[in-house]
Amino acid sequence: MPTLPLLPTSLVGSYAQPDWLIDRAKLAGRFPPRVRAKELWRVAPEFLAQAQDDATLLAITAQEDAGLDVLTDGEIRRESYSNHFATALDGVDVDNPGSALDRSGHPNPVPRITGPIARPRPIQVDDLRFLRAATDHTIKMTVPGPFTMSQQAQDDHYGDPEAAAMAYAAVVNAEVRDLFAAGADVVQIDEPYMQARPEAARAYGLAALDAALDGVTGTTAVHICFGYAAIIHERPEGYSFLPELAGSPVQQISIETAQSGLDLGVLRDLTDKTIILGVLDLSDPAVETAETVAGRARRALELLPPEQVVLAPDCGLKYLPRDAAEGKMRALAAGAALLRAELA
């Protein structure tokens, strides 16, 4: 892994997909899909994989050109952060979906668990290898978390929410191990539903996350957010589930602070973790100045040494216009450079 600078910069996961690849109006006009949503793609099925590869290369180049230090594949091949993985598993019926409440309280079609959850093959390893071949930067791959996937499913098999979450944990564990074996530098597990459903997260979600990380060697991260700004508009001033991660084996915790103006006192409970600090507000397509980015980061530097901070957007850039996403990435890199100069 290349040596990273102080205050390295990274996406949380997704980048804005091109309009020629996906119908962005349809994407924005619905809740994030939990089952397959093939109707979103603009490219004919026989050309889709090639188009997704081309768009992924554009996303990688955009991150490099903006000056980011840790690169993702932009999640360009995914209709949502979770359904790409969740619908590739055995034991779920995606053709006859069930229903579950989204974090907004609205019902959404979801995979229906009809048998033992299993991973028939590595799901994202080819995507990871494509990313590794395209850049010499540090690379990160994101995987939906076991608790979140269990909340985004209708369980007609296990009859026990904890059992379902632990079954998802086993397949995530196998995937994370394979991603590191294939060359990932960082693997991030996305667990937004820990914030949305903190009581269940405390009851069994944390144990499922620990099981997903069991025996894993490599730099791991977990992302917990308040939902996409394009869909969930109200932001609380604090997390309902975060200090609980202090005892987790995960090394990095990704939180959002820009849109919410988050009370950063919670970082006092996480002093042994690296914090992936969200400093780009994704509710507004206007591009921040470098000073705005730096100012948001300085709040965290009052509580943590810079060696324990990574700078990032609040969440995925998926719903932003591409020019806004590109501008915000450049502002992120410029803000980091400003801070490094101050700390030198």
Side-chain angles (χ1 to χ4, degrees):
M1 183 167 68
T3 302
L4 291 172
L6 196 64
L7 299 170
T9 53
S10 172
L11 293 187
V12 171
S14 66
Y15 182 64
Q17 293 154 303
D19 291 272
W20 53 259
L21 180 66
I22 205 163
D23 189 328
R24 292 175 54 83
K26 278 186 182 177
L27 180 71
R30 54 165 296 163
F31 292 106
R34 310 305 181 201
V35 292
R36 291 307 309 275
K38 296 178 182 179
E39 70 279 2
L40 293 176
W41 301 106
R42 292 189 187 274
V43 178
E46 63 269 29
F47 303 124
L48 183 57
Q50 182 179 339
Q52 289 171 335
D53 282 353
D54 289 348
T56 299
L57 289 174
L58 291 174
I60 295 167
T61 301
Q63 292 171 75
E64 288 182 336
D65 289 349
L68 299 193
D69 302 301
V70 180
L71 306 192
T72 77
D73 70 345
E75 300 180 6
I76 297 297
R77 301 178 182 87
R78 308 186 196 183
E79 296 150 5
S80 82
Y81 71 95
S82 62
N83 77 332
H84 180 74
F85 187 91
T87 59
L89 299 172
D90 287 341
V92 297
D93 188 340
V94 294
D95 297 317
N96 301 287
S99 180
L101 294 182
D102 226 317
R103 67 185 299 161
S104 61
H106 293 82
N108 207 3
V110 296
R112 193 164 55 88
I113 304 173
T114 56
I117 296 290
R119 189 186 67 139
R121 66 191 68 84
I123 296 167
Q124 295 173 192
V125 165
D126 285 346
D127 299 345
L128 184 280
R129 288 180 175 141
F130 186 92
L131 174 60
R132 177 71 289 163
T135 183
D136 59 1
H137 282 57
T138 300
I139 57 172
K140 176 171 75 173
M141 186 61 68
T142 60
V143 182
F147 177 72
T148 291
M149 282 193 286
S150 74
Q151 300 297 299
Q152 296 174 355
Q154 177 178 307
D155 176 23
D156 291 350
H157 173 72
Y158 291 100
D160 173 57
E162 182 172 359
M166 295 305 284
Y168 277 114
V171 297
V172 171
N173 182 265
E175 184 77 7
V176 171
R177 289 168 180 260
D178 283 342
L179 288 169
F180 279 122
D185 296 310
V186 182
V187 176
Q188 174 183 301
I189 296 177
D190 292 330
E191 282 286 17
Y193 273 65
M194 285 186 163
Q195 161 63 26
R197 295 175 184 165
E199 291 183 7
R202 291 185 192 99
Y204 59 87
L206 196 58
L209 177 62
D210 289 353
L213 296 170
D214 184 49
V216 168
T217 55
T219 301
T220 55
V222 63
H223 173 62
I224 298 187
C225 70
F226 301 126
Y228 286 114
I231 296 165
I232 307 295
H233 303 293
E234 296 299 321
R235 289 292 189 270
E237 293 179 357
Y239 276 85
S240 56
F241 186 95
L242 200 61
E244 291 85 350
L245 291 170
S248 168
V250 73
Q251 293 116 312
Q252 301 184 353
I253 300 174
S254 169
I255 62 173
E256 59 169 282
T257 74
Q259 185 184 350
S260 63
L262 185 76
D263 178 355
L264 295 185
V266 69
L267 297 184
R268 295 188 182 94
D269 298 317
L270 301 169
T271 53
D272 63 335
K273 306 294 186 186
T274 292
I275 300 299
I276 303 174
L277 191 76
V279 291
L280 294 179
D281 181 351
L282 306 187
S283 67
D284 185 353
V287 174
E288 288 92 339
T289 65
E291 177 53 41
T292 295
V293 171
R296 290 170 179 164
R298 287 187 194 104
R299 297 174 60 225
L301 296 179
E302 295 173 5
L303 297 164
L304 289 174
E307 292 81 9
Q308 285 176 237
V309 177
V310 175
L311 300 183
D314 270 1
C315 194
L317 302 184
K318 189 179 185 74
Y319 290 94
L320 284 179
R322 281 175 74 191
D323 59 344
E326 182 179 340
K328 282 177 179 283
M329 289 195 304
R330 292 182 184 278
L332 182 65
L338 196 63
L339 289 169
R340 289 175 198 139
E342 290 176 8
L343 294 166

